[in-house]
Amino acid sequence: MFSAETYAKRRAELRRRIGSGLILLPGNGESPMNYPNNAYSYRQDSTFAYFFGHSLPALAGVIDADSGAEALYGDDFTVDDIIWMGPQPSVADLAAEVGVAQSKPMAALAADLRHAVAQGRKVHYLPPYRGETTLQVSQLLGIVPAMVHDRMSLDLLFAVAEMREVKSAEELACIEEAFDIGYRMHTTAMRMCRPGRTEQEIAGAVDGVAKSFGTGVSFATILSQHGEVLHNHDHSGTLESGRLLLCDAGGEHTNGYVSDHTRTYPVNGRFTQKQRDIYEIVLAAHDNAAAAVRPEMMYTEYSDAAFRTIIEGLKALDIVRGSVDDALEAGAGYLFMPHGLGHGIGMDVHDCENIGERSFPMDEFEERAKASACCITRPFWRLREGTVLSDEPGIYFVPALIDKFRAEGKCKGIVNYEKLESYRDFGGIRLEDDLIVTAAGAKVVGDRTIPIKVEDVEAIVGRE
């Protein structure tokens, strides 16, 4: 946690941006895995944690944007709770730790909100991403669950996104600390990689590192010899010589900030020439995108630097023909990299994605999104000094996508489909690091580099 002053300043700034009404920020509760007392690993709502600091379940915060009054709602532990969980701080103590003067039992929250609504005051809340929170907001405000999303506060959504996107110096220090967990995770996977080992064994070790040095993984680990499957969580394979292993994994530090990195390497420790050719293109795209970053540039310019590098590299291998512009116009970029170049990084591995374009359609808010230009709508995202984002280009040979493009006549005369036949079993390569946008350009997060150059990768893979 940060100081009480940090959280108080954040809440004051949020209050200033919202102007009037009540701001409701519910924390997450625990979620049963198979019966009530056996819960999934707990994760606090990031926005609640950003403004109220605490990672304990069953809390809620309210800020009165008119008067400045603040309250933390929650219930103190009973003796029965203490028997199982041990002594715990009171809600009043928790509130004081983050500079909140008033604490109340959770039962008071509904009455306080209903009183505000009866007075005609607006209650601002974010669109919930959990069913439990949707039901909670529904009950608190007396609206049917189907209406909860429609009545969210657009003002609060953009205010939170804009504030969380630009990281303070103390937040950047936390992200640098989170990098160390990612470094340990990825170098562990690299050293364990060798023919005959199972994907499950390596994935389990990677996840264990995250738990040993932080609170756990920042997202479900992707580790597979089928790198062409973008979010491949199947770890049932046995490593085979001659194939590539892709590991996309990150850890969450106890301070709540996360890392996200990807490396791809040969199972037997040596790239074939064919693998190296594609790898070097992806690495060039990774490096060129990072070098292109400048504060106030559009995300689309950053992304374009990677896509152009990829197409240029594939042209040199005669997989793509013609001009780069024609290839991109025809959709060849999507054929080989069917995902965006990056996303925000912070307290979430896709920072603020719960309130962004990949959680619900933003079309009706397009003008507001353009004016805000923050990370939740990438087509309108303008990079700011203090923004942290991923740099993760890739080249993937997806047989189903290749067949679809060819059958529909897409990229005819541009993509050399005959040449592509020899890549159908290639898989995919992705390389990812996290960048901090600075006044001069971009800084790669971390005090060292997870091995990424061919010679460095080959020097570590299989060297337990």
Side-chain angles (χ1 to χ4, degrees), residues 40-123:
Y40 285 103
S41 179
Y42 180 73
R43 176 56 157 83
Q44 182 60 281
D45 175 76
S46 294
T47 299
F48 175 87
Y50 183 82
F51 291 103
F52 286 91
H54 293 292
S55 59
L56 297 171
L59 297 172
V62 172
I63 304 167
D64 190 321
D66 294 291
S67 70
E70 302 170 338
L72 183 67
Y73 294 78
D75 295 323
D76 290 335
F77 272 40
T78 65
V79 171
D80 288 341
D81 296 324
I82 292 170
I83 289 171
W84 292 100
M85 303 298 293
Q88 301 292 322
S90 68
V91 177
D93 290 339
L94 295 175
E97 281 187 63
V98 292
V100 175
Q102 191 173 25
S103 64
K104 297 185 179 184
M106 189 59 78
L109 180 57
D112 288 350
L113 293 175
R114 295 286 181 90
H115 179 69
V117 170
Q119 292 181 317
R121 302 185 68 196
K122 182 173 178 60
V123 176

Coordinates of all heavy atoms in Angstrom, one line a residue, residues 40-123:
Y40 N -12.2 -19.3 -4.6 CA -11.1 -19.1 -5.5 C -10.1 -18.1 -4.9 O -10.4 -17.3 -4.0 CB -11.6 -18.4 -6.8 CG -12.4 -19.4 -7.8 CD1 -13.8 -19.4 -7.8 CD2 -11.7 -20.3 -8.6 CE1 -14.4 -20.3 -8.7 CE2 -12.3 -21.2 -9.4 CZ -13.7 -21.1 -9.5 OH -14.4 -22.0 -10.3
S41 N -8.9 -18.1 -5.4 CA -7.9 -17.2 -4.9 C -8.4 -15.8 -5.1 O -8.9 -15.4 -6.1 CB -6.6 -17.3 -5.8 OG -5.6 -16.4 -5.3
Y42 N -8.4 -15.0 -4.0 CA -9.0 -13.7 -4.0 C -8.2 -12.6 -4.7 O -7.0 -12.6 -4.6 CB -9.2 -13.2 -2.5 CG -9.9 -11.9 -2.5 CD1 -11.3 -11.7 -2.8 CD2 -9.2 -10.7 -2.1 CE1 -11.9 -10.5 -2.8 CE2 -9.8 -9.5 -2.1 CZ -11.1 -9.4 -2.4 OH -11.8 -8.2 -2.4
R43 N -8.9 -11.8 -5.5 CA -8.3 -10.6 -6.1 C -9.3 -9.4 -6.0 O -10.4 -9.5 -6.4 CB -8.1 -10.9 -7.6 CG -7.6 -9.8 -8.5 CD -6.2 -9.2 -7.9 NE -5.4 -8.5 -8.9 CZ -5.6 -7.3 -9.3 NH1 -6.6 -6.6 -8.8 NH2 -4.8 -6.7 -10.2
Q44 N -8.7 -8.4 -5.4 CA -9.5 -7.1 -5.2 C -9.8 -6.4 -6.5 O -9.0 -6.5 -7.4 CB -8.7 -6.2 -4.2 CG -9.5 -4.9 -3.9 CD -10.8 -5.1 -3.2 OE1 -11.8 -5.4 -3.9 NE2 -10.8 -5.0 -1.9
D45 N -10.9 -5.7 -6.6 CA -11.1 -4.9 -7.7 C -10.1 -3.8 -7.8 O -9.8 -3.1 -6.8 CB -12.5 -4.2 -7.6 CG -12.8 -3.2 -8.7 OD1 -13.1 -3.7 -9.8 OD2 -12.7 -2.0 -8.4
S46 N -9.5 -3.6 -8.9 CA -8.3 -2.7 -9.1 C -8.7 -1.3 -8.8 O -7.9 -0.5 -8.3 CB -7.7 -2.9 -10.4 OG -7.1 -4.2 -10.6
T47 N -9.9 -0.8 -9.3 CA -10.3 0.5 -9.1 C -10.5 0.8 -7.6 O -10.1 1.9 -7.1 CB -11.5 0.9 -9.9 OG1 -11.2 0.7 -11.3 CG2 -12.0 2.3 -9.7
F48 N -11.2 -0.1 -6.9 CA -11.3 0.1 -5.5 C -10.0 0.2 -4.8 O -9.7 1.1 -4.0 CB -12.1 -1.1 -4.9 CG -12.2 -1.0 -3.4 CD1 -13.2 -0.3 -2.8 CD2 -11.3 -1.6 -2.6 CE1 -13.3 -0.2 -1.4 CE2 -11.3 -1.5 -1.2 CZ -12.4 -0.8 -0.6
A49 N -9.1 -0.7 -5.2 CA -7.7 -0.7 -4.6 C -7.0 0.6 -4.9 O -6.2 1.2 -4.1 CB -6.9 -1.9 -5.0
Y50 N -7.2 1.2 -6.1 CA -6.5 2.4 -6.5 C -6.9 3.6 -5.6 O -6.1 4.4 -5.3 CB -6.9 2.7 -8.0 CG -6.2 3.9 -8.6 CD1 -4.9 3.8 -9.1 CD2 -6.9 5.1 -8.7 CE1 -4.3 4.9 -9.6 CE2 -6.2 6.2 -9.2 CZ -4.9 6.1 -9.7 OH -4.3 7.2 -10.2
F51 N -8.2 3.6 -5.2 CA -8.7 4.7 -4.4 C -8.8 4.5 -2.9 O -8.7 5.4 -2.1 CB -10.1 5.2 -4.9 CG -10.0 5.8 -6.3 CD1 -10.4 5.1 -7.4 CD2 -9.5 7.1 -6.5 CE1 -10.4 5.7 -8.7 CE2 -9.5 7.7 -7.7 CZ -9.9 7.0 -8.8
F52 N -8.9 3.2 -2.6 CA -9.1 2.9 -1.1 C -8.0 1.9 -0.6 O -8.0 1.5 0.6 CB -10.5 2.3 -0.9 CG -11.5 3.4 -0.9 CD1 -12.2 3.7 -2.1 CD2 -11.8 4.1 0.2 CE1 -13.2 4.6 -2.1 CE2 -12.8 5.1 0.2 CZ -13.5 5.4 -1.0
G53 N -7.1 1.5 -1.4 CA -5.9 0.8 -1.0 C -6.0 -0.7 -0.6 O -5.1 -1.5 -0.9
H54 N -7.0 -1.1 0.1 CA -7.1 -2.4 0.8 C -7.4 -3.5 -0.2 O -8.2 -3.4 -1.1 CB -8.1 -2.3 1.9 CG -7.6 -1.5 3.0 ND1 -6.5 -1.7 3.8 CD2 -8.1 -0.3 3.5 CE1 -6.4 -0.8 4.7 NE2 -7.3 0.1 4.5
S55 N -6.8 -4.7 0.1 CA -7.1 -5.9 -0.7 C -7.9 -6.9 0.0 O -8.0 -8.1 -0.4 CB -5.7 -6.5 -1.1 OG -5.0 -6.9 0.1
L56 N -8.6 -6.5 1.0 CA -9.5 -7.4 1.8 C -10.9 -7.5 1.1 O -11.3 -6.5 0.5 CB -9.7 -6.9 3.2 CG -8.4 -6.9 4.1 CD1 -8.7 -6.2 5.4 CD2 -7.9 -8.4 4.3
P57 N -11.6 -8.6 1.2 CA -12.9 -8.7 0.5 C -14.0 -8.0 1.3 O -13.8 -7.7 2.5 CB -13.1 -10.2 0.5 CG -12.3 -10.8 1.6 CD -11.1 -9.9 1.7
A58 N -15.1 -7.8 0.6 CA -16.4 -7.4 1.2 C -16.2 -6.0 1.8 O -16.7 -5.7 2.9 CB -16.8 -8.4 2.3
L59 N -15.7 -5.1 1.1 CA -15.6 -3.7 1.4 C -16.2 -2.8 0.3 O -16.3 -3.3 -0.9 CB -14.2 -3.2 1.6 CG -13.4 -3.9 2.8 CD1 -11.9 -3.5 2.7 CD2 -14.0 -3.5 4.1
A60 N -16.6 -1.6 0.6 CA -17.1 -0.7 -0.4 C -16.7 0.7 0.0 O -16.7 1.0 1.2 CB -18.6 -0.8 -0.7
G61 N -16.4 1.6 -1.0 CA -16.1 2.9 -0.7 C -17.1 3.9 -1.3 O -17.6 3.6 -2.5
V62 N -17.4 5.0 -0.7 CA -18.3 6.0 -1.2 C -17.7 7.4 -1.0 O -17.2 7.7 0.1 CB -19.7 6.0 -0.6 CG1 -20.5 7.2 -1.0 CG2 -20.4 4.7 -0.9
I63 N -17.7 8.2 -2.1 CA -17.2 9.5 -2.0 C -18.3 10.5 -2.4 O -18.9 10.3 -3.5 CB -16.0 9.7 -3.0 CG1 -14.9 8.7 -2.8 CG2 -15.4 11.1 -3.0 CD1 -13.8 8.6 -3.9
D64 N -18.5 11.4 -1.6 CA -19.5 12.5 -1.9 C -18.8 13.6 -2.7 O -18.0 14.3 -2.1 CB -20.2 13.0 -0.6 CG -21.4 13.9 -0.9 OD1 -21.3 14.7 -1.9 OD2 -22.3 13.8 -0.1
A65 N -19.1 13.7 -4.0 CA -18.4 14.6 -4.8 C -18.8 16.1 -4.5 O -18.1 17.0 -4.9 CB -18.7 14.3 -6.3
D66 N -20.0 16.3 -3.8 CA -20.4 17.6 -3.5 C -19.8 18.1 -2.2 O -19.2 19.2 -2.1 CB -21.9 17.6 -3.3 CG -22.6 17.4 -4.6 OD1 -22.6 18.3 -5.5 OD2 -23.2 16.3 -4.8
S67 N -19.9 17.3 -1.1 CA -19.4 17.7 0.2 C -18.0 17.3 0.5 O -17.3 17.9 1.4 CB -20.3 17.1 1.3 OG -20.1 15.7 1.4
G68 N -17.5 16.3 -0.2 CA -16.1 15.8 0.1 C -16.1 14.7 1.1 O -15.1 14.2 1.4
A69 N -17.3 14.4 1.7 CA -17.3 13.3 2.7 C -17.0 12.0 2.1 O -17.3 11.7 0.9 CB -18.7 13.3 3.3
E70 N -16.3 11.1 2.8 CA -15.9 9.8 2.3 C -16.2 8.8 3.4 O -16.1 9.1 4.6 CB -14.4 9.8 2.0 CG -13.9 10.8 1.0 CD -12.4 10.9 0.9 OE1 -11.7 10.5 1.9 OE2 -11.9 11.4 -0.1
A71 N -16.5 7.6 3.0 CA -16.8 6.5 4.0 C -16.4 5.2 3.4 O -16.5 4.9 2.2 CB -18.3 6.5 4.3
L72 N -15.8 4.3 4.3 CA -15.5 3.0 4.0 C -16.5 2.1 4.7 O -16.7 2.2 5.9 CB -14.1 2.6 4.4 CG -13.6 1.2 4.1 CD1 -13.4 1.1 2.6 CD2 -12.3 0.9 4.8
Y73 N -17.2 1.2 3.9 CA -18.2 0.3 4.4 C -17.7 -1.1 4.5 O -17.0 -1.6 3.6 CB -19.4 0.3 3.5 CG -20.2 1.7 3.5 CD1 -19.7 2.7 2.7 CD2 -21.4 1.9 4.2 CE1 -20.4 3.9 2.6 CE2 -22.0 3.1 4.1 CZ -21.5 4.1 3.4 OH -22.2 5.3 3.3
G74 N -18.0 -1.8 5.6 CA -17.6 -3.2 5.8 C -18.0 -3.6 7.2 O -18.4 -2.8 8.0
D75 N -17.9 -4.9 7.4 CA -18.3 -5.4 8.7 C -17.1 -5.9 9.5 O -16.2 -6.7 8.9 CB -19.3 -6.6 8.5 CG -20.6 -6.1 7.9 OD1 -21.0 -4.9 8.3 OD2 -21.2 -6.8 7.1
D76 N -17.0 -5.6 10.7 CA -15.9 -6.1 11.6 C -16.1 -7.6 11.8 O -17.2 -8.1 11.8 CB -15.9 -5.4 12.9 CG -15.5 -3.9 12.9 OD1 -14.8 -3.6 11.9 OD2 -15.9 -3.2 13.8
F77 N -14.9 -8.3 12.0 CA -15.0 -9.7 12.2 C -15.6 -10.0 13.5 O -15.4 -9.3 14.5 CB -13.5 -10.2 12.2 CG -13.0 -10.6 10.8 CD1 -13.3 -9.9 9.7 CD2 -12.3 -11.8 10.7 CE1 -12.8 -10.2 8.5 CE2 -11.8 -12.2 9.4 CZ -12.1 -11.4 8.3
T78 N -16.4 -11.1 13.5 CA -17.0 -11.6 14.8 C -16.0 -12.5 15.4 O -15.0 -12.9 14.8 CB -18.3 -12.3 14.5 OG1 -18.0 -13.5 13.7 CG2 -19.3 -11.4 13.7
V79 N -16.3 -13.0 16.6 CA -15.5 -14.0 17.3 C -15.4 -15.3 16.5 O -14.4 -15.9 16.3 CB -16.0 -14.3 18.7 CG1 -15.3 -15.5 19.3 CG2 -15.9 -13.0 19.6
D80 N -16.6 -15.6 15.9 CA -16.6 -16.8 15.0 C -15.6 -16.7 13.9 O -14.9 -17.6 13.5 CB -18.0 -17.1 14.5 CG -18.9 -17.6 15.6 OD1 -18.4 -18.1 16.6 OD2 -20.2 -17.6 15.5
D81 N -15.6 -15.5 13.3 CA -14.7 -15.2 12.2 C -13.2 -15.3 12.7 O -12.3 -15.9 12.0 CB -14.9 -13.8 11.6 CG -16.2 -13.7 10.9 OD1 -16.7 -14.6 10.3 OD2 -16.8 -12.6 11.0
I82 N -12.9 -14.8 13.8 CA -11.6 -14.7 14.3 C -11.1 -16.1 14.6 O -9.9 -16.4 14.5 CB -11.5 -13.8 15.6 CG1 -11.8 -12.3 15.2 CG2 -10.2 -14.0 16.3 CD1 -12.0 -11.4 16.3
I83 N -12.0 -17.0 15.1 CA -11.6 -18.4 15.3 C -10.9 -19.0 14.1 O -9.9 -19.7 14.2 CB -12.8 -19.2 15.8 CG1 -13.2 -18.8 17.2 CG2 -12.4 -20.7 15.8 CD1 -14.5 -19.5 17.6
W84 N -11.5 -18.7 12.9 CA -11.0 -19.3 11.7 C -9.9 -18.5 11.0 O -9.0 -19.0 10.4 CB -12.2 -19.5 10.7 CG -13.2 -20.5 11.1 CD1 -14.4 -20.3 11.7 CD2 -13.0 -21.9 11.0 NE1 -15.0 -21.5 12.0 CE2 -14.2 -22.5 11.5 CE3 -12.1 -22.7 10.4 CZ2 -14.4 -23.9 11.5 CZ3 -12.3 -24.1 10.5 CH2 -13.4 -24.7 11.0
M85 N -10.0 -17.2 11.2 CA -9.1 -16.3 10.4 C -8.1 -15.5 11.2 O -7.1 -14.9 10.7 CB -9.9 -15.3 9.6 CG -10.9 -15.9 8.7 SD -10.2 -16.9 7.4 CE -9.4 -15.6 6.4
G86 N -8.2 -15.6 12.6 CA -7.3 -14.8 13.4 C -7.8 -13.4 13.6 O -8.7 -12.9 12.9
P87 N -7.2 -12.6 14.5 CA -7.6 -11.2 14.7 C -7.4 -10.4 13.4 O -6.4 -10.6 12.7 CB -6.6 -10.8 15.8 CG -6.1 -12.0 16.5 CD -6.1 -13.1 15.4
Q88 N -8.3 -9.5 13.2 CA -8.2 -8.7 12.0 C -8.5 -7.2 12.4 O -9.2 -6.9 13.4 CB -9.3 -9.1 11.0 CG -9.2 -10.5 10.5 CD -8.0 -10.8 9.7 OE1 -7.6 -9.9 8.9 NE2 -7.4 -11.9 9.8
P89 N -8.0 -6.3 11.6 CA -8.2 -4.8 12.0 C -9.7 -4.5 11.8 O -10.4 -5.1 11.0 CB -7.3 -4.1 11.0 CG -7.1 -5.1 9.8 CD -7.1 -6.4 10.5
S90 N -10.1 -3.5 12.5 CA -11.5 -3.1 12.4 C -11.6 -2.3 11.1 O -10.6 -1.8 10.5 CB -11.9 -2.2 13.6 OG -11.2 -1.0 13.6
V91 N -12.9 -2.1 10.6 CA -13.1 -1.3 9.4 C -12.7 0.1 9.7 O -12.2 0.8 8.8 CB -14.6 -1.4 9.0 CG1 -14.8 -0.5 7.8 CG2 -14.9 -2.8 8.6
A92 N -12.9 0.6 10.9 CA -12.4 2.0 11.3 C -10.9 2.1 11.1 O -10.4 3.1 10.6 CB -12.9 2.3 12.7
D93 N -10.2 1.1 11.5 CA -8.7 1.1 11.4 C -8.3 1.1 9.9 O -7.4 1.8 9.5 CB -8.1 -0.1 12.1 CG -8.2 0.0 13.6 OD1 -8.4 1.1 14.1 OD2 -8.1 -1.0 14.3
L94 N -9.0 0.3 9.1 CA -8.7 0.2 7.7 C -9.0 1.6 7.0 O -8.2 2.0 6.2 CB -9.6 -0.9 7.0 CG -9.4 -2.3 7.5 CD1 -10.4 -3.2 6.8 CD2 -8.0 -2.8 7.1
A95 N -10.1 2.2 7.4 CA -10.4 3.5 6.9 C -9.3 4.5 7.2 O -8.8 5.3 6.4 CB -11.7 4.0 7.4
A96 N -8.9 4.5 8.5 CA -7.9 5.5 8.9 C -6.5 5.3 8.1 O -5.8 6.3 7.9 CB -7.6 5.3 10.4
E97 N -6.2 4.0 7.8 CA -5.0 3.7 7.1 C -4.9 4.4 5.7 O -3.8 4.7 5.2 CB -4.8 2.2 6.9 CG -4.3 1.5 8.1 CD -4.1 0.0 7.7 OE1 -3.2 -0.2 6.9 OE2 -4.8 -0.9 8.3
V98 N -6.1 4.7 5.1 CA -6.1 5.3 3.8 C -6.7 6.7 3.9 O -7.1 7.3 2.8 CB -6.8 4.4 2.8 CG1 -6.0 3.2 2.5 CG2 -8.2 4.1 3.2
G99 N -6.7 7.3 5.0 CA -7.1 8.7 5.2 C -8.6 8.9 5.1 O -9.1 10.0 4.7
V100 N -9.4 7.9 5.4 CA -10.9 8.1 5.3 C -11.4 8.2 6.8 O -11.1 7.4 7.6 CB -11.6 6.8 4.7 CG1 -13.1 6.9 4.7 CG2 -11.1 6.7 3.2
A101 N -12.1 9.3 7.0 CA -12.5 9.6 8.4 C -13.6 8.8 8.9 O -13.8 8.5 10.1 CB -12.9 11.1 8.5
Q102 N -14.5 8.3 8.0 CA -15.7 7.7 8.5 C -15.8 6.2 8.0 O -15.4 5.9 6.9 CB -17.0 8.4 7.9 CG -18.3 8.0 8.5 CD -19.4 8.9 8.0 OE1 -19.3 9.5 7.0 NE2 -20.5 9.0 8.8
S103 N -16.2 5.3 8.9 CA -16.5 3.9 8.5 C -17.9 3.5 9.0 O -18.4 4.1 10.0 CB -15.4 3.0 9.2 OG -15.6 3.0 10.6
K104 N -18.5 2.6 8.2 CA -19.9 2.2 8.5 C -20.0 0.7 8.2 O -19.3 0.2 7.4 CB -20.9 3.0 7.6 CG -20.9 4.5 7.9 CD -22.0 5.1 7.0 CE -22.1 6.6 7.3 NZ -23.3 7.2 6.5
P105 N -21.0 0.1 8.9 CA -21.3 -1.3 8.6 C -21.9 -1.4 7.2 O -22.5 -0.5 6.6 CB -22.3 -1.7 9.6 CG -22.9 -0.5 10.1 CD -21.8 0.6 10.0
M106 N -21.7 -2.6 6.5 CA -22.2 -2.7 5.2 C -23.7 -2.5 5.0 O -24.2 -2.1 4.0 CB -21.8 -4.1 4.6 CG -22.0 -4.3 3.2 SD -21.1 -3.2 2.1 CE -19.5 -3.9 2.1
A107 N -24.4 -2.9 6.1 CA -25.9 -2.7 6.1 C -26.3 -1.3 5.9 O -27.4 -1.0 5.4 CB -26.5 -3.3 7.3
A108 N -25.4 -0.3 6.2 CA -25.8 1.1 6.1 C -25.6 1.6 4.7 O -26.2 2.7 4.3 CB -24.9 1.9 7.0
L109 N -24.9 0.8 3.8 CA -24.7 1.3 2.5 C -25.9 1.5 1.7 O -26.1 2.5 1.0 CB -23.7 0.4 1.8 CG -23.3 0.7 0.3 CD1 -22.7 2.1 0.3 CD2 -22.3 -0.3 -0.2
A110 N -26.8 0.5 1.7 CA -28.1 0.6 0.9 C -28.9 1.8 1.4 O -29.4 2.5 0.5 CB -28.8 -0.7 1.1
A111 N -29.0 2.0 2.7 CA -29.8 3.1 3.2 C -29.3 4.4 2.8 O -30.0 5.3 2.4 CB -29.9 3.0 4.7
D112 N -27.9 4.6 2.8 CA -27.3 5.8 2.4 C -27.5 6.1 0.9 O -27.8 7.2 0.5 CB -25.8 5.8 2.8 CG -25.6 5.8 4.3 OD1 -26.5 6.1 5.0 OD2 -24.4 5.6 4.7
L113 N -27.4 5.1 0.1 CA -27.5 5.3 -1.3 C -29.0 5.5 -1.7 O -29.3 6.4 -2.5 CB -27.0 4.0 -2.1 CG -25.5 3.8 -2.0 CD1 -25.2 2.5 -2.7 CD2 -24.7 4.9 -2.6
R114 N -29.9 4.8 -1.1 CA -31.3 5.0 -1.3 C -31.7 6.5 -0.9 O -32.6 7.1 -1.6 CB -32.2 4.0 -0.6 CG -32.0 2.6 -1.0 CD -32.6 2.3 -2.4 NE -32.4 0.9 -2.8 CZ -33.2 -0.1 -2.5 NH1 -34.4 0.2 -1.8 NH2 -33.0 -1.3 -2.9
H115 N -31.2 6.9 0.2 CA -31.5 8.3 0.6 C -31.0 9.3 -0.4 O -31.7 10.3 -0.7 CB -30.8 8.6 2.0 CG -31.0 9.9 2.5 ND1 -32.3 10.4 3.0 CD2 -30.2 11.0 2.7 CE1 -32.1 11.6 3.4 NE2 -30.9 12.0 3.2
A116 N -29.8 9.1 -1.0 CA -29.3 10.0 -2.0 C -30.2 10.0 -3.2 O -30.5 11.0 -3.8 CB -27.9 9.6 -2.3
V117 N -30.6 8.8 -3.6 CA -31.5 8.7 -4.8 C -32.8 9.4 -4.6 O -33.3 10.1 -5.5 CB -31.7 7.2 -5.2 CG1 -32.8 7.0 -6.2 CG2 -30.4 6.5 -5.6
A118 N -33.3 9.2 -3.4 CA -34.6 9.9 -3.1 C -34.5 11.4 -3.1 O -35.5 12.1 -3.4 CB -35.1 9.4 -1.7
Q119 N -33.3 11.9 -2.9 CA -33.1 13.3 -3.0 C -32.8 13.8 -4.4 O -32.6 15.0 -4.7 CB -31.9 13.7 -2.1 CG -32.1 13.6 -0.6 CD -30.9 14.0 0.2 OE1 -29.8 13.7 -0.1 NE2 -31.2 14.8 1.3
G120 N -32.8 12.9 -5.3 CA -32.6 13.2 -6.7 C -31.1 13.3 -7.1 O -30.7 13.8 -8.1
R121 N -30.2 12.8 -6.2 CA -28.8 12.8 -6.5 C -28.4 11.6 -7.4 O -28.9 10.5 -7.2 CB -28.0 12.8 -5.2 CG -28.4 13.9 -4.2 CD -27.5 14.0 -3.0 NE -26.1 14.3 -3.4 CZ -25.1 14.1 -2.6 NH1 -25.2 13.5 -1.4 NH2 -23.9 14.5 -3.0
K122 N -27.4 11.9 -8.2 CA -26.9 10.8 -9.1 C -25.9 9.9 -8.3 O -25.0 10.5 -7.5 CB -26.2 11.4 -10.3 CG -25.7 10.3 -11.3 CD -25.2 10.9 -12.6 CE -24.6 9.9 -13.5 NZ -25.6 8.9 -13.9
V123 N -25.9 8.6 -8.5 CA -25.0 7.7 -7.9 C -24.1 7.2 -9.1 O -24.6 6.6 -10.0 CB -25.6 6.5 -7.2 CG1 -24.5 5.6 -6.7 CG2 -26.4 7.0 -6.0

